[in-house]
C-alpha cells in the first residue's frame, strides 16, 4: 500500500500551483467570469500547452493516461483557483464520454483536437423533470432514414455556448424513466432547429437552456450503441462526481485557510477573534472536514479507476455526501465567521462559499447520494 | 392555559384579514410572493395605506398614533400580514428610532419627527456598525465634537440598509474619550443631505444593492439633534436591543415559507413523483417544522408574559438565534428543492421578475441568491454568537 501521490502527479500539482500564483488572482478570475464568454481562450490554450486537457485520456488518442488520479490533482487546483475555464464540461464530462462510448474513429477525430485545445465539447443531460436521475430522459430522437430527428429540451448545460459540439442524451426507445433506450448524439452548436438561452450561474460559470425543434443529425452522430448509453453516462457522471469532490477539497482548503487568517487579523473586544475558543473549534471542524473530504475523494478516485461497479458507486456517493455536508460545516461557517463582509460580493471567500454550496446541486445532492449509497 | 384566541381576538383576526384583502396592493403582494426586489416606492405606498388606516405603528402609545393593541393582537396582525405576503416594514424609523424618541427624546423632537415618519415623508436609516466595530459595537470610533452650536462629525458607518434612500440617519457617535469604551457614546440624528455626508454602495452576495457604507467628513450637526444626554448612547442602544424585538423570531413568516416550500416541492418531480413524496426530503421539512412549532410556542409564551406586564428580558436572544436558524434552514431547502435550477443567475429577473419564459420553476432563480443573502440574519442585529454570549451571562450566570 502507498497512499502518496506519484512523482508525475506532484509535478502536475506544482505546475498548476505556479499557474494559479502567476495568472489566476481572484481579481483576474472575477474579470473573466463577468465578461464576454466567461473565461479566457488564452488560458484554455495554455491548459492545452501544459497538457491538462489530455490528463484523463489514453495515450493512443494523444492523452497522458493519468486517469482519475490525474483529474483529482487538476480539479483540486480548479477548486483552489475557482477556475472558470470549461474543464469539467469539455474534458471531464463530454471528453470522457467520447472516450467511454465513442468509436475508434470518433475518439481519434474528437479527442485529438480536444486535447490540443482546438475543439470543445459540452454534455446536455439535465431535463426539467429529471432532477438527478440520469435515466429520466424525455428528449426524443427518432430515426428518419439515415438521420436522427431530435425534439425536446435540455437544461443547465454547462459551457455549451463556447462548445463546438454538444453531446445530448436522448430517448430513442422505452419509457421516460428507463435505463434502456437512451442514446447519445453529437449535435453541432449551430444546428438548424436548436435554440439556446445562455446565462451566468450563481457561482460565476456559464450554462444554457437548449431547445431542440426537429434538429436533424446524421447517423454517424451517434456515440456508442443505439439505446444503450446509460451505463456509459453513469460511469462518466461518477467520474465527474469524484472529480468535483476533488474540486471541493481545493475550495474547502481555501475557505479554511482564509477564515483562520481572518480570525487572526480581525480584532474585537480587544483581542483577535482567533482567541475565542468557540471560533477556534469551528475552524477545527473545517479542518477535520477537509481531511476527511480528501480521504473520501482519494478513495473514490481509486475505486473509480479500479472500475468495480458497486464499490465505485458506493465510494463516489460517500464522497459526494461529504461534499454536501461541507455546505454547513465549511461554507456557512466561513461566511458566518467573516461577519458582514462574509456576505459581500467583493470578498473572495464569498465566491468560494458559493461554489462549495452549488457543488451540492451538481450530479446529485446529499439526499440523492445517501440514497444511492444505501442501495449500492 | 388556553391556546385558543378569545372571541374578541378572533373577530380582530377577521378584521385584519378583510382589511389586507381589500387594501394591500396586488403588485406588491406579487413581488413579495415571488421574491422580486422591492423599491422604496413599494414601502412608501404600503406604509401610507397602513397609516391611513391607523395601523402603521402598533407599538406606539395611542396618543402618538399607536393602535393600543395587546401583544396578542400585535402577533395576530403580524401573522395575517405574513400570510398575505405583506412586505416587512423597515423598522429603523417606525420602530427603533420611534421607541428611542418615546423613551429618551424631548417632546419637541417627537413633534418634529413623528408626523413625517407616519406620513412616510422622511426615510430613516440606522448607523451603528463601523468597519472596526461590529460585534464589539462599543468600540465605535466615529466622532462628534461639541462645538457649542453644533457637533462636528467625522467617521464612517457601514452595513447601512437603504442608506441610499435615506433622508435622515440616527447614529451612535463618540462624544468623549472615557475610561470605559461604553462611556462617551451619544445618540445623534443626522441629515443625510448635510454637507460632508456621502454614501457608497455595498454589493452583497446576491449581487444586489441594499446596504451601504456612509462617510461623514466634517459634517455639522445642530446640537438639538442629540437624543438623550451626551454619553447616554450606550444605554439607549441596549434599551433598543431588549425592546421592540418581539417580532424577531419571524415565526409567521417562516410558517408562510414552509407553505411555499411544500407547494414548490409538490410541483417538482423526483423519479416521476412529486418531490414532496420523497421521504428524505419530506423528513427534512419535518425537522424544520418541529423546530418551528417549538419556536412558535416559545414566542407565544413570551407574548403571554408581555401581556401580563413582564419585561421580555433575554428572551429576544433565544428568539433571534432559533428564529434565524429556522429561516436559514428553510432557504436551504427551497434551494435544494429546485436542484439544477438553483444555478441560473438572472439579476434582471431578481429586479423586475420574468419578462420571458422562466428557466425551470418561476421562483427558482431567486432561491440560491436568497439562501446566500439570508446568511446575514445570523450575523446582523448582534450575531448569533453574541446572542449566545448574552444568554450565557444573563441567564446561566456563566
Amino acid at each position: 500500500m502507498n497512499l502518496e501521490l506519484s512523482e508525475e502527479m506532484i509535478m502536475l500539482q506544482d505546475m498548476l500551483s505556479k499557474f494559479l500564483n502567476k495568472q489566476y488572482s481572484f481579481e483576474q478570475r472575477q474579470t473573466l467570469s463577468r465578461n464576454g464568454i466567461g473565461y479566457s481562450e488564452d488560458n484554455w490554450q495554455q491548459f492545452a500547452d501544459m497538457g491538462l486537457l489530455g490528463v484523463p485520456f489514453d495515450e493512443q488518442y494523444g492523452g497522458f493516461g493519468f486517469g482519475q488520479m490525474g483529474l483529482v490533482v487538476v480539479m483540486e487546483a480548479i477548486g483552489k483557483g475557482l477556475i472558470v475555464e470549461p474543464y469539467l464540461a469539455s474534458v471531464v464530462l463530454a471528453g470522457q464520454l467520447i472516450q467511454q462510448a465513442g468509436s475508434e474513429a470518433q475518439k481519434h477525430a474528437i479527442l485529438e483536437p480536444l486535447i490540443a485545445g482546438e475543439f470543445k465539447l459540452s454534455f446536455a443531460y439535465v431535463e426539467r423533470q429529471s432532477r438527478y436521475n440520469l435515466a429520466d430522459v424525455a428528449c426524443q430522437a427518432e430515426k428518419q432514414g439515415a438521420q436522427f430527428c431530435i425534439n425536446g429540451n435540455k437544461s443547465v448545460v454547462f459551457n455549451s455556448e463556447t462548445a463546438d459540439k454538444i453531446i445530448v442524451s436522448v430517448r430513442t426507445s422505452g419509457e421516460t424513466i428507463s435505463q434502456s433506450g437512451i442514446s447519445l448524439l453529437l449535435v453541432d452548436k449551430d444546428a438548424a432547429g436548436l435554440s439556446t438561452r445562455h446565462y451566468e450561474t450563481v457561482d460565476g460559470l456559464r450554462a444554457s437552456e437548449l431547445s431542440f425543434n426537429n434538429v436533424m443529425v446524421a447517423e454517424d452522430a451517434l456515440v456508442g450503441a443505439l439505446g444503450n448509453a446509460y451505463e456509459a453516462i453513469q460511469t462518466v457522471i461518477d467520474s465527474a462526481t469524484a472529480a468535483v469532490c476533488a474540486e471541493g477539497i481545493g475550495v474547502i482548503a481555501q475557505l479554511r485557510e482564509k477564515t483562520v487568517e481572518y480570525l487572526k487579523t480581525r480584532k474585537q473586544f480587544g483581542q483577535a477573534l482567533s482567541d475565542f475558543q468557540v471560533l477556534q473549534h469551528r475552524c477545527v471542524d473545517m479542518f477535520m472536514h477537509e481531511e476527511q473530504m480528501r480521504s473520501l475523494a482519494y478513495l473514490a478516485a481509486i475505486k473509480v479507476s479500479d472500475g468495480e461497479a458497486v464499490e465505485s458507486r458506493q465510494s463516489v456517493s460517500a464522497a459526494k455526501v461529504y461534499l454536501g455536508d461541507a455546505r454547513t460545516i465549511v461554507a456557512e461557517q466561513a461566511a458566518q465567521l467573516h461577519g458582514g463582509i462574509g456576505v459581500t460580493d467583493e470578498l473572495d471567500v464569498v465566491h468560494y462559499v458559493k461554489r462549495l454550496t452549488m457543488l451540492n446541486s451538481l450530479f446529485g445532492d446529499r439526499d440523492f447520494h445517501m440514497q444511492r449509497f444505501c442501495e449500492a | 392555559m388556553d391556546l385558543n384566541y378569545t372571541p374578541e381576538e378572533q373577530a380582530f383576526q377577521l378584521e385584519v384579514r378583510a382589511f389586507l384583502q381589500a387594501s394591500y396592493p396586488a403588485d406588491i403582494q406579487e413581488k413579495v410572493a415571488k421574491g422580486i426586489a422591492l423599491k422604496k416606492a413599494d414601502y412608501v405606498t404600503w406604509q401610507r395605506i397602513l397609516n391611513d388606516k391607523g395601523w402603521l405603528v402598533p407599538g406606539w402609545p395611542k396618543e402618538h398614533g399607536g393602535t393600543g393593541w395587546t401583544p396578542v393582537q400585535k402577533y395576530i396582525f403580524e401573522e395575517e400580514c405574513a400570510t398575505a405576503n405583506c412586505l416587512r416594514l423597515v423598522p429603523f424609523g417606525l420602530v427603533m428610532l420611534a421607541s428611542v424618541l418615546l423613551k429618551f427624546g424631548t417632546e419637541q423632537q417627537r413633534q418634529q419627527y413623528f408626523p413625517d415618519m407616519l406620513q412616510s415623508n422622511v426615510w430613516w436609516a440606522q448607523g451603528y456598525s463601523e468597519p472596526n466595530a461590529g460585534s464589539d459595537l462599543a468600540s465605535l470610533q466615529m466622532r462628534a465634537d461639541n462645538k457649542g452650536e453644533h457637533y462636528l462629525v467625522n467617521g464612517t458607518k457601514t452595513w447601512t440598509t437603504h442608506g441610499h434612500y435615506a433622508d435622515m440617519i440616527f447614529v451612535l457617535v463618540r462624544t468623549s474619550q472615557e475610561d470605559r469604551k461604553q462611556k462617551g457614546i451619544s445618540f445623534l440624528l443626522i441629515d443625510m443631505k448635510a454637507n460632508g455626508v456621502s454614501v457608497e454602495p455595498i454589493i452583497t452576495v446576491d449581487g444586489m444593492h441594499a446596504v451601504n457604507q456612509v462617510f461623514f467628513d466634517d459634517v455639522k450637526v445642530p446640537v438639538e439633534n442629540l437624543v438623550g444626554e451626551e454619553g447616554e448612547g450606550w444605554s439607549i442602544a441596549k434599551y433598543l436591543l431588549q425592546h421592540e424585538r418581539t417580532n424577531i423570531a419571524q415565526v409567521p413568516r417562516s410558517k408562510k415559507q414552509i407553505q411555499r416550500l411544500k407547494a414548490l416541492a409538490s410541483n417538482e418531480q423526483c423519479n416521476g413523483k412529486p418531490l414532496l413524496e420523497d421521504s428524505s426530503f419530506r423528513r427534512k421539512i419535518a425537522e424544520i417544522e418541529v423546530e418551528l412549532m417549538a419556536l412558535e410556542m416559545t414566542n407565544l409564551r413570551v407574548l403571554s408574559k408581555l401581556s401580563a406586564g413582564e419585561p421580555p428580558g433575554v428572551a429576544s436572544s433565544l428568539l433571534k438565534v432559533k428564529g434565524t436558524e429556522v429561516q436559514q434552514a428553510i432557504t436551504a431547502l427551497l434551494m435544494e428543492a429546485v436542484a439544477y435550477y438553483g444555478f441560473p443567475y438572472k439579476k434582471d429577473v431578481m429586479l423586475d421578475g420574468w419578462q420571458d419564459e422562466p428557466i425551470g420553476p418561476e421562483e427558482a432563480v431567486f432561491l440560491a441568491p436568497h439562501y446566500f443573502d439570508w446568511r446575514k440574519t445570523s450575523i446582523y442585529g448582534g450575531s448569533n454568537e453574541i446572542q449566545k454570549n448574552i444568554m450565557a451571562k444573563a441567564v446561566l450566570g456563566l
Side-chain angles (χ1 to χ4, degrees), chain A residues 59-80:
Chain A
E59 285 166 68
Q60 64 202 98
Y61 311 114
F64 279 92
F66 285 169
Q68 191 70 32
M69 214 56 210
L71 286 182
V72 167
V73 172
V74 177
M75 291 300 288
E76 184 178 344
I78 283 178
K80 229 174 186 164

Side-chain angles (χ1 to χ4, degrees), chain B residues 72-255:
Chain B
V72 175
Q73 281 179 304
K74 286 182 202 165
Y75 185 76
I76 290 171
F77 181 69
E78 196 204 333
E79 200 169 33
E80 292 302 317
C81 285
T83 308
N85 282 313
C86 290
L87 53 77
R88 295 166 76 192
L89 295 185
V90 179
F92 304 119
L94 293 169
V95 178
M96 299 171 76
L97 177 63
S99 66
V100 167
L101 290 182
L102 284 164
K103 172 98 176 162
F104 301 92
T106 61
E107 189 51 36
Q108 199 200 336
Q109 285 171 330
R110 288 189 282 270
Q111 293 302 333
Q112 186 180 350
Y113 296 115
F114 280 0
D116 280 336
M117 215 184 264
L118 287 170
Q119 286 159 33
S120 304
N121 296 333
V122 169
W123 191 277
W124 284 89
Q126 178 200 41
Y128 268 27
S129 298
E130 296 178 8
N132 289 312
S135 285
D136 184 10
L137 184 61
S139 68
L140 60 94
Q141 292 301 321
M142 183 157 131
R143 284 176 59 151
D145 299 329
N146 193 332
K147 301 286 182 189
E149 298 273 290
H150 64 262
Y151 289 100
L152 192 63
V153 177
N154 279 289
T156 181
K157 290 292 174 183
T158 195
W159 315 126
T160 311
T161 303
H162 294 159
H164 54 310
Y165 293 167
D167 305 297
M168 294 288 291
I169 186 168
F170 60 89
V171 292
L172 291 175
V173 288
R174 195 162 290 287
T175 38
S176 62
Q177 299 292 333
E178 307 286 342
D179 52 342
R180 283 180 68 240
K181 63 187 174 183
Q182 287 82 0
K183 291 190 198 167
I185 294 175
S186 301
F187 194 99
L188 208 55
L189 312 177
I190 302 180
D191 187 339
M192 291 290 283
K193 289 179 288 293
N195 279 337
V197 179
S198 57
V199 179
E200 290 275 337
I202 297 174
I203 305 303
T204 40
V205 55
D206 53 355
M208 307 303 268
H209 172 208
V211 293
N212 304 273
Q213 185 167 359
V214 185
F215 296 89
F216 301 84
D217 183 17
D218 279 341
V219 179
K220 288 180 182 167
V221 179
V223 285
E224 57 266 28
N225 284 19
L226 176 76
V227 178
E229 301 295 321
E230 237 181 53
E232 201 182 10
W234 190 248
S235 309
I236 296 177
K238 277 207 312 197
Y239 173 81
L240 265 186
L241 276 176
Q242 281 163 16
H243 290 80
E244 305 304 339
R245 298 199 109 195
T246 46
N247 289 355
I248 200 165
Q250 294 284 326
V251 169
R253 193 178 172 279
S254 287
K255 284 165 80 175

